[in-house]
Amino acid sequence: MKQLHTTLFLSLFFTVHCYYLLTAQEAKLPTRWTRSAMEASIPLSEYPRPQLQRAQWMCLNGKWDYVGGKGIASAFNPENPIYFEGKAEKIRVPYCPESVLSGIERNQEINMWYHRSFAIPEAWQNKQVILHFDAVDHDATIFVNGQKAGRHSGGYDAFSFNVTRFLKKGMNSLVVAAHDPNDGKAPSGKNGPRGDYTFSSGIWQTVWLEPVNTNYIENIRLLPDLENNRLKIFVNATSGTKLSAVAMDGKKVIAQVNSFSGADFFLPINHPKHWSPDTPFLYDLKITLFNANGRSTDEVISYFGMRDIKVGKVNGVNRTLLNGQFVMQLGLLDQGYWPDGILTAPTEEALKFDILFTKKAGFNLIRKHMKTEPRRFYYWADKLGLMVWQDMPAIWYQDEDTVKTRSEFRQELKAIVDDHYNSPSIITWVPFNENWGAFDVKSITDWIKQYDPSRLVNGNSGFNNNPSYQQAYGDPGNGDFVDTHIYVGPYGASVPDDRRAASLGEFGGVGLFTRGHMWPVANNAYDYEPTKAALTDRYVFLLDQVEQLMKYKGLSVAVYTQTTDVEHEINGFLTYDRAVEKMELSRIKVINDAVIKASHKINTQQ
């Protein structure tokens, strides 16, 4: 009888365990890319850093050992790694453990321990090996072969370590301890205690290795200067000072300069082809580093776009000027969430899809709301031609432990600007949204303007709105925009003042229920229409109003909410699974094109 009970217990345990494994892999709302992401041996295997490319690298995405949860050893800055000893689950990196694509799908793990082994290729012998993490939320501690290689704090910026001294021949062990309390005391955007959507944490962008020589290029900084027909370049190298920079238009060399690392220099670009959404031309750039003997020690491939963005007078009205001309910025609020990957697009094709859709619908702008994306997202925006407003993910409890929380916000803001400084598509930084976590808005806005003179700054987008749990900071009075959010709008939008352009940073938000394509929660929107045709009519009417504001009230920007449905919100152009277009796209493109075309005529009326 005892043996029978044991057999039944083991059978029941095996059945429940298998059921859990199966259901953990069943997406609540799959996308067309879910299966391929689950089946890929190395998901998201594309080269992760398009503006600083080298020929050799190794992607570490794929199945890792994983242990997580509140009851395990703390993953906050541990001195030693834990031992896995075959008891670990498997997690699919780089999908966060809260996502179905990870294979784990559990919320609020807080402590997350990852492990995998890797071997260094024979061709990398006598090279320095750099270990890269494109994003880990929030505190990460790295161990290589049991030794602590370094730690990093911040969920939205890339970081790396030179791990050469920890490596050995044959197989090497890599352990990552990630800790994320999700307590709102660090930048977290919608991924926080007062955020609207599923929390996410841990590794959520690509992990990779690359070999370099002892003297190598650590990073570059590119600043287009249209007024003087040149590109300003700064190269930061470990050592070695001589370098050459070559700009190319296709296979044709158009400029070449010999200079030095550690100091600004200029590459002349005569008769530059301007980057814009209509003509997103990119020049190729090759930078070579030399040692004292004149031998090449490193070579990186990059690209740049020649464009400028500023505020200037058109017919006496302050407007945003792209390459000296007013172009209405007509965009979508893009939150970048996925039902299968949460913060991480399931595949490269999926990452590119939202950008292609936005272009196809006739928009020229994306407002990337409350999160960052992998650098390949900005590469596609650069290459395909979409302007980008980049939000800083909000902090929620900025008034608690202010020395720590506010300094963390400033530190990560700078890191995000540094990460994406070279991308021509990013034209505006948005440090705060609707007073969420707002503090020192005026000084932070001024700081960004000084730190990155190549872009506009919208200090507090939607300053007219305010979360109920804190006092409104309001309009900082500086920066480049007077920006209000009006739902459904658009009337009531800002008008320009004597220094700033007017922006409607969010409007619209009209929903449509789409049975079979909604997240399994109570769904809502700011307003509703019953059919696809009616929703299209409503959008066309709203854009007719936007055009009136642009022509006669000085409006320069209008951002419609939003690209896709997101969890409970059903006000997207697309359903959350990207399977259904909820408006008649041909009509949407016609009205969008008409409004943007009308903005071109304003330039000729001076």
Side-chain angles (χ1 to χ4, degrees):
M1 191 70 171
K2 182 177 180 181
Q3 184 180 5
L4 178 59
H5 285 163
T6 302
T7 302
L8 288 172
F9 173 80
L10 290 173
S11 176
L12 178 61
F13 173 82
F14 180 78
T15 301
V16 170
H17 184 63
C18 287
Y19 175 78
Y20 171 77
L21 289 176
L22 287 171
T23 54
Q25 294 292 320
E26 185 178 337
K28 298 174 191 168
L29 186 63
T31 69
R32 70 188 75 174
W33 306 281
T34 303
R35 180 175 294 276
S36 60
M38 286 181 170
E39 293 175 350
S41 59
I42 306 179
L44 295 166
S45 59
E46 294 78 14
Y47 191 87
R49 194 183 55 198
Q51 284 190 286
L52 191 68
Q53 296 187 52
R54 293 188 177 92
Q56 294 183 312
W57 71 294
M58 179 192 297
C59 186
L60 296 183
N61 292 346
K63 290 288 185 70
W64 292 45
D65 301 321
Y66 176 80
V67 176
K70 299 176 184 179
I72 66 166
S74 172
F76 181 73
N77 193 23
E79 287 303 315
N80 298 290
I82 65 169
Y83 294 98
F84 284 79
E85 297 181 355
K87 63 184 178 182
E89 299 175 84
K90 295 293 183 181
I91 190 168
R92 192 178 292 109
V93 169
Y95 306 109
C96 65
E98 293 84 358
S99 71
V100 68
L101 290 182
S102 73
I104 302 296
E105 201 177 15
R106 289 197 299 275
N107 290 333
Q108 285 297 99
E109 293 284 85
I110 296 181
N111 298 299
M112 294 150 283
W113 289 87
Y114 300 76
H115 168 261
R116 69 158 289 162
S117 298
F118 64 92
I120 298 298
E122 190 68 28
W124 294 14
Q125 298 304 317
N126 302 318
K127 296 277 191 178
Q128 301 292 299
V129 177
I130 311 300
L131 172 62
H132 296 276
F133 294 86
D134 284 356
V136 181
D137 195 1
H138 176 266
D139 294 284
T141 307
I142 314 304
F143 299 91
V144 178
N145 292 325
Q147 299 181 74
K148 193 171 185 176
R151 65 182 299 260
H152 175 267
S153 178
Y156 296 91
D157 59 299
F159 60 96
S160 61
F161 301 107
N162 186 329
V163 296
T164 311
R165 68 186 185 277
F166 305 114
L167 299 175
K168 62 184 182 180
K169 289 186 177 181
M171 298 304 293
N172 292 270
S173 170
L174 172 60
V175 172
V176 178
H179 181 265
D180 186 14
N182 260 313
D183 58 6
K185 296 179 182 179
S188 55
K190 298 293 185 75
N191 173 34
R194 291 185 180 272
D196 291 328
Y197 316 131
T198 301
F199 291 166
S200 61
S201 50
I203 299 172
W204 67 279
Q205 289 188 30
T206 291
V207 184
W208 55 293
L209 293 165
E210 75 173 334
V212 295
N213 291 320
T214 302
N215 301 338
Y216 71 97
I217 295 167
E218 290 188 293
N219 53 66
I220 62 176
R221 202 168 176 90
L222 309 175
L223 181 64
D225 180 1
L226 258 61
E227 186 176 350
N228 295 295
N229 292 335
R230 62 187 186 177
L231 177 73
K232 183 179 179 181
I233 304 176
F234 180 89
V235 177
N236 184 32
T238 53
S239 59
T241 57
K242 295 181 180 179
L243 55 83
S244 73
V246 179
M248 303 186 71
D249 179 348
K251 295 183 178 180
K252 180 183 177 183
V253 174
I254 62 163
Q256 182 169 359
V257 167
N258 296 322
S259 190
F260 302 92
S261 63
D264 294 331
F265 65 96
F266 296 91
L267 195 62
I269 309 295
N270 296 323
H271 310 293
K273 297 179 180 179
H274 293 174
W275 183 95
S276 73
D278 290 335
T279 57
F281 183 82
L282 299 174
Y283 291 94
D284 293 319
L285 178 66
K286 181 172 72 174
I287 300 176
T288 307
L289 183 70
F290 302 94
N291 64 14
N293 298 322
R295 184 174 63 86
S296 171
T297 63
D298 195 13
E299 181 176 282
V300 297
I301 303 299
S302 187
Y303 67 83
F304 62 94
M306 294 297 290
R307 66 101 184 93
D308 69 9
I309 183 76
K310 58 186 65 173
V311 172
K313 290 276 198 297
V314 179
N315 299 323
V317 176
N318 274 324
R319 295 187 183 270
T320 54
L321 306 179
L322 177 66
N323 304 327
Q325 297 290 306
F326 170 56
V327 179
M328 181 66 178
Q329 295 179 29
L330 187 58
L332 288 175
L333 191 76
D334 191 325
Q335 308 213 50
Y337 275 72
W338 298 83
D340 46 11
I342 307 180
L343 284 189
T344 307
T347 67
E348 172 84 352
E349 182 187 1
L351 184 73
K352 186 179 176 183
F353 177 84
D354 285 359
I355 296 173
L356 286 170
F357 172 81
T358 305
K359 287 282 291 185
K360 186 170 70 170
F363 294 96
N364 61 11
L365 174 75
I366 282 175
R367 179 181 172 196
K368 179 52 64 176
H369 190 46
M370 286 293 135
K371 67 167 288 197
T372 60
E373 293 287 358
R375 283 170 285 200
R376 292 197 66 84
F377 175 91
Y378 304 98
Y379 163 74
W380 286 117
D382 295 341
K383 189 174 179 62
L384 297 173
L386 270 176
M387 295 180 284
V388 176
W389 280 21
Q390 179 59 57
D391 285 15
M392 175 65 187
I395 193 170
W396 293 95
Y397 299 118
Q398 79 284 4
D399 293 326
E400 297 182 17
D401 192 7
T402 55
V403 172
K404 181 177 185 296
T405 56
R406 295 187 179 194
S407 62
E408 281 196 12
F409 181 92
R410 291 176 185 273
Q411 175 183 315
E412 191 147 8
L413 173 61
K414 179 181 180 298
I416 288 170
V417 173
D418 288 340
D419 268 1
H420 304 293
Y421 187 93
N422 298 332
S423 177
S425 60
I426 297 178
I427 60 163
T428 299
W429 300 114
V430 185
F432 296 103
N433 175 77
E434 293 183 349
N435 298 281
W436 299 354
F439 70 94
D440 297 343
V441 180
K442 192 179 186 72
S443 64
I444 288 174
T445 300
D446 281 341
W447 175 82
I448 302 175
K449 284 294 294 182
Q450 180 273 327
Y451 190 66
D452 182 4
S454 71
R455 293 182 173 89
L456 305 177
V457 181
N458 189 352
N460 189 358
S461 180
F463 62 79
N464 58 311
N465 289 336
N466 183 58
S468 58
Y469 66 92
Q470 69 176 65
Q471 186 175 350
Y473 190 98
D475 182 5
N478 62 342
D480 296 298
F481 293 98
V482 186
D483 184 297
T484 47
H485 295 177
I486 309 293
Y487 286 109
V488 170
Y491 280 107
S494 302
V495 295
D497 65 16
D498 59 349
R499 300 181 314 280
R500 299 178 294 171
S503 169
L504 181 58
E506 294 178 28
F507 80 107
V510 184
L512 176 69
F513 290 93
T514 311
R515 187 170 284 105
H517 297 278
M518 296 187 293
W519 195 244
V521 295
N523 291 261
N524 55 60
Y526 291 97
D527 200 357
Y528 305 88
E529 292 293 345
T531 65
K532 182 176 184 176
L535 184 58
T536 306
D537 288 343
R538 183 77 173 274
Y539 178 82
V540 171
F541 173 62
L542 292 177
L543 261 287
D544 285 337
Q545 294 177 303
V546 164
E547 184 175 8
Q548 294 292 300
L549 294 173
M550 177 192 72
K551 286 180 175 179
Y552 307 116
K553 298 293 183 179
L555 189 67
S556 287
V557 185
V559 180
Y560 185 86
T561 301
Q562 57 187 324
T563 309
T564 74
D565 294 350
V566 184
E567 298 201 3
H568 62 87
E569 298 176 5
I570 55 166
N571 48 16
F573 268 81
L574 295 164
T575 52
Y576 193 22
D577 57 6
R578 278 75 168 173
V580 179
E581 294 177 358
K582 297 165 70 177
M583 299 190 207
E584 297 167 8
L585 210 61
S586 59
R587 293 181 60 202
I588 298 305
K589 189 174 189 313
V590 167
I591 187 63
N592 286 348
D593 287 348
V595 173
I596 294 172
K597 186 176 180 180
S599 74
H600 297 161
K601 294 180 180 178
I602 291 174
N603 293 292
T604 65
Q605 296 169 359
Q606 299 187 72

